[in-house]
Amino acid sequence: MNKLLNFFLCITLSLGFASLVSAQTEQKIKAELQGKLGSNTKIKSVTVSPIAGIYEVQVGNDVFYTDVNSKYLLQGEIIEVATGKNITEQRQNDLNRIKWADLPSANAIKIVHGNGNRQLAIFADPNCGYCKRLEKSLQQLDNVTIYTYLIPILSADSVQKSKQIWCASDPSKTYVDWMINGTPITGKNDCNTMAIDKNLSLAKTLGITGTPTIFFVDGSRFPGAAQLTDIEKKFSSLK
């Protein structure tokens, strides 16, 4: 009995030691690589990858790879040959995932199609051409609730338009009329527009650097004007 306990104790200690050494190696690589890349590039973490001797480097929400001596920085995808699984893409998706509950719906323009039982959130700028293209596609979606978070990041005029849309008597109609038909936005912009400021802060926290950016209830994101077929495919995967 004592021999068995000693055996398991040795195994536990060995695993703990290996974990400690691995963590020290990762910290060493991170420090060395950070020094080489400079302060403008913020490395969030360095962890082992599925390939021996290669480490995953997380910079923002992007994934890179490096060697144990941090001599090289690799950009590309790791594909598991046996299964065809894209390890890098999966990791990227995990890093970009958010908590749907963290999105404050009170700060969004709410548009409901049909019964509205499906949900998605969009961060958009009213002067964004790709956002307008996406909005036209979304008109074909049925049974969906769309939460649009205005983030005026393209120009000063974007700020003006965002405030006028938010202050309109019917923000959702004003937004759709502008994005779909180019109907001029008129009206006041002096109501309480703190929601727009909060949206900008939230976008920064979530690492949103461009519009449109779409989020689904599972927290996954689609950057850019996604195709309607891809959106429907994503909805189907959530069932």
Side-chain angles (χ1 to χ4, degrees):
M1 185 67 177
N2 287 336
K3 289 183 178 180
L4 184 61
L5 289 175
N6 287 337
F7 172 77
F8 283 114
L9 179 60
C10 288
I11 292 295
T12 302
L13 291 174
S14 297
L15 291 174
F17 179 73
S19 178
L20 176 62
V21 171
S22 178
Q24 290 175 338
T25 301
E26 291 165 2
Q27 289 301 314
K28 176 176 176 291
I29 294 172
K30 180 182 178 182
E32 290 180 349
L33 196 58
Q34 185 68 77
K36 294 175 181 178
L37 295 178
S39 59
N40 289 331
T41 302
K42 302 295 184 183
I43 298 176
K44 285 188 176 181
S45 66
V46 172
T47 55
V48 294
S49 81
I51 302 175
I54 299 297
Y55 292 79
E56 176 194 294
V57 181
Q58 183 187 350
V59 179
N61 289 328
D62 294 320
V63 172
F64 300 90
Y65 300 98
T66 191
D67 60 297
V68 70
N69 296 315
S70 62
K71 185 177 181 179
Y72 301 100
L73 190 63
L74 311 175
Q75 184 176 20
E77 297 180 335
I78 294 178
I79 310 293
E80 188 177 64
V81 177
T83 63
K85 181 180 179 181
N86 190 323
I87 303 295
T88 305
E89 181 180 59
Q90 181 62 57
R91 182 67 172 137
Q92 194 84 53
N93 291 339
D94 291 341
L95 292 175
N96 281 281
R97 198 176 299 277
I98 67 164
K99 291 182 179 179
W100 177 264
D102 289 344
L103 296 178
S105 59
N107 295 338
I109 297 171
K110 182 180 178 180
I111 300 173
V112 180
H113 297 171
N115 61 28
N117 62 357
R118 304 186 295 180
Q119 298 181 84
L120 59 80
I122 303 170
F123 284 74
D125 183 302
N127 283 326
C128 164
Y130 289 107
C131 299
K132 293 177 181 179
R133 182 190 303 178
L134 174 63
E135 193 61 36
K136 289 180 180 178
S137 296
L138 294 179
Q139 297 306 302
Q140 303 174 53
L141 275 180
D142 197 15
N143 299 329
V144 62
T145 299
I146 303 169
Y147 298 94
T148 300
Y149 294 83
L150 295 174
I151 52 169
I153 59 176
L154 295 180
S155 67
D157 182 58
S158 295
V159 177
Q160 172 77 2
K161 284 186 171 69
S162 294
K163 289 183 177 180
Q164 286 181 298
I165 291 170
W166 187 253
C167 293
S169 58
D170 190 341
S172 60
K173 184 178 185 304
T174 302
Y175 176 75
V176 171
D177 284 348
W178 164 249
M179 299 297 278
I180 301 296
N181 305 313
T183 304
I185 304 171
T186 59
K188 298 180 180 180
N189 64 357
D190 57 354
C191 69
N192 185 347
T193 57
M194 284 298 295
I196 295 174
D197 295 329
K198 291 179 179 178
N199 290 346
L200 287 168
S201 297
L202 178 61
K204 185 176 181 180
T205 300
L206 298 178
I208 297 172
T209 57
T211 55
T213 297
I214 305 172
F215 291 99
F216 293 86
V217 293
D218 67 343
S220 59
R221 77 173 73 190
F222 280 16
Q227 296 294 317
L228 188 62
T229 52
D230 292 330
I231 294 175
E232 287 286 10
K233 183 179 180 181
K234 178 61 182 179
F235 274 135
S236 295
S237 73
L238 297 174
K239 292 180 181 179

